[in-house]
Amino acid sequence: MDDSNLIAKFEKLGARATIRPLIENRWRLAPGPIVIDIGHDRRGEFFDIQATEDADVTVIDVQPRERHLLLMVRQSAERANDPVRKDKFLCGHDERHWFVAGVPETAPVSNVITAKESLKPELVRDRESGKKGKRTKRLRRKTDTFVRQGEWFFLPAGNVRVNEKLLLRNEPISRGLGSKPHVCEFLYRDGGTTVYVCGRHPSGLDTQEYRKLLKKNPQASKWNWRVMRRDPVVFVRGKVSHPDHATLRLDGWHRVAMNTENQSRAMAAVAFLD
């Protein structure tokens, strides 16, 4: 890997990047030859890249004006006749901060624009299907189809019948894995699976797993659990706030959809959580 060339690519975005040897962490084993995080020091944020000496890392596309680049990491196949593994990462700036996101491997991604498109949830792509206009306009944070805050997309839902008894106020939504939640002033969930969430189980346990844990360890009942729902249809209105993003103000109900980065294999190599 050409460290100086890689650092120069990030500098084109106005970003700093450091490259250091990959550190083995017994709590989180590296899934490949590279781990990417957003570090902080006195000068601000920077891309903190840990990589093995033989890591095969290539910058496919750089868009200085948009402050984004697309990174690809090649790995040899684990078994003979298997294709070479290619993991892609979108690195860039969103509103106030730098970020890195794994790109789904199933998407045909060759540049920054197609990487951004691949991160859109299926619900958004379905609504955009057949619409005319420049693709770049569809990548803005606010379009006629959605409003985006970080990894969350909010789509106007028209008339939604809400059971007022189930209406939640100042309710967090999170993609799990320890990410900081986005807080919604008014939220309504329909359907989904009940899960129990706490600091030790940020992605949640279903009812059977939760009961099994309490039977094995009764003290676990004191772990400040929250009852939430996994994969429900979610609607929000009013303010949506997050410390790293400008507050949204949604008039009327909007359906919520998360981007597709959790579907990517590359996400396992991303230490950054917004």
Side-chain angles (χ1 to χ4, degrees):
M1 182 173 66
D2 187 341
D3 291 8
S4 59
N5 181 59
L6 183 58
I7 290 173
K9 299 291 188 182
F10 279 95
E11 288 176 345
K12 288 185 177 182
L13 309 183
R16 293 184 297 132
T18 63
I19 301 173
R20 55 194 176 101
L22 181 63
I23 299 174
E24 293 294 335
N25 186 336
R26 63 174 180 168
W27 303 112
R28 180 174 179 171
L29 298 177
I34 191 170
V35 171
I36 308 176
D37 196 2
I38 303 298
H40 302 77
D41 60 18
R42 292 182 179 180
R43 295 172 58 191
E45 296 179 334
F46 62 92
F47 287 89
D48 180 13
I49 302 171
Q50 298 179 41
T52 59
E53 290 185 3
D54 59 348
D56 186 353
V57 182
T58 305
V59 175
I60 301 175
D61 185 29
V62 182
Q63 295 296 327
R65 186 174 179 179
E66 296 180 27
R67 305 180 80 183
H68 284 70
L69 63 76
L70 182 63
L71 200 70
M72 181 171 70
V73 180
R74 291 186 179 88
Q75 294 186 58
S76 300
E78 295 180 356
R79 295 177 297 182
N81 301 322
D82 281 355
V84 173
R85 173 171 165 173
K86 298 178 182 179
D87 292 336
K88 296 174 184 176
F89 304 86
L90 182 65
C91 304
H93 195 272
D94 187 30
E95 292 190 71
R96 303 170 179 171
H97 299 277
W98 296 105
F99 76 92
V100 55
V103 177
E105 292 74 27
T106 56
V109 171
S110 59
N111 52 41
V112 167
I113 289 179
T114 51
K116 288 183 176 182
E117 287 283 0
S118 75
L119 288 169
K120 288 182 179 179
E122 184 177 359
L123 182 62
V124 170
R125 293 198 297 269
D126 286 346
R127 291 201 183 183
E128 289 182 337
S129 179
K131 286 193 174 184
K132 297 181 179 180
K134 292 184 178 180
R135 174 185 270 185
T136 52
K137 290 186 177 180
R138 299 202 303 266
L139 297 175
R140 295 173 178 173
R141 284 193 293 273
K142 183 176 182 180
T143 73
D144 58 356
T145 302
F146 64 83
V147 180
R148 181 179 64 81
Q149 186 186 73
E151 68 269 32
W152 295 99
F153 290 75
F154 304 93
L155 297 84
N159 295 323
V160 177
R161 292 185 177 182
V162 174
N163 183 340
E164 294 293 334
K165 294 181 180 179
L166 300 179
L167 185 63
L168 301 171
R169 293 175 179 266
N170 299 320
E171 180 72 2
I173 54 175
S174 169
R175 61 184 165 99
L177 303 174
S179 64
K180 289 178 283 188
H182 298 240
V183 179
C184 306
E185 185 176 8
F186 298 101
L187 182 146
Y188 176 68
R189 292 187 177 93
D190 186 18
T193 303
T194 298
V195 292
Y196 298 80
V197 178
C198 70
R200 303 190 190 193
H201 296 278
S203 296
L205 302 178
D206 63 29
T207 301
Q208 184 176 356
E209 293 170 331
Y210 176 70
R211 289 175 178 172
K212 185 177 180 180
L213 174 64
L214 294 190
K215 185 176 181 180
K216 182 179 180 180
N217 180 12
Q219 291 298 315
S221 63
K222 301 178 181 179
W223 290 354
N224 296 319
W225 296 91
R226 286 179 60 89
V227 180
M228 303 183 74
R229 287 195 169 271
R230 180 183 291 155
D231 299 327
V233 177
V234 179
F235 300 95
V236 301
R237 64 177 172 85
K239 296 179 182 179
V240 181
S241 58
H242 186 279
D244 296 341
H245 301 280
T247 298
L248 295 181
R249 290 171 174 80
L250 303 175
D251 295 327
W253 289 106
H254 285 63
R255 184 169 173 180
V256 181
M258 189 177 68
N259 75 7
T260 61
E261 62 183 307
N262 277 2
Q263 300 173 20
S264 73
R265 179 183 59 216
M267 195 61 188
V270 175
F272 164 73
L273 292 171
D274 68 351

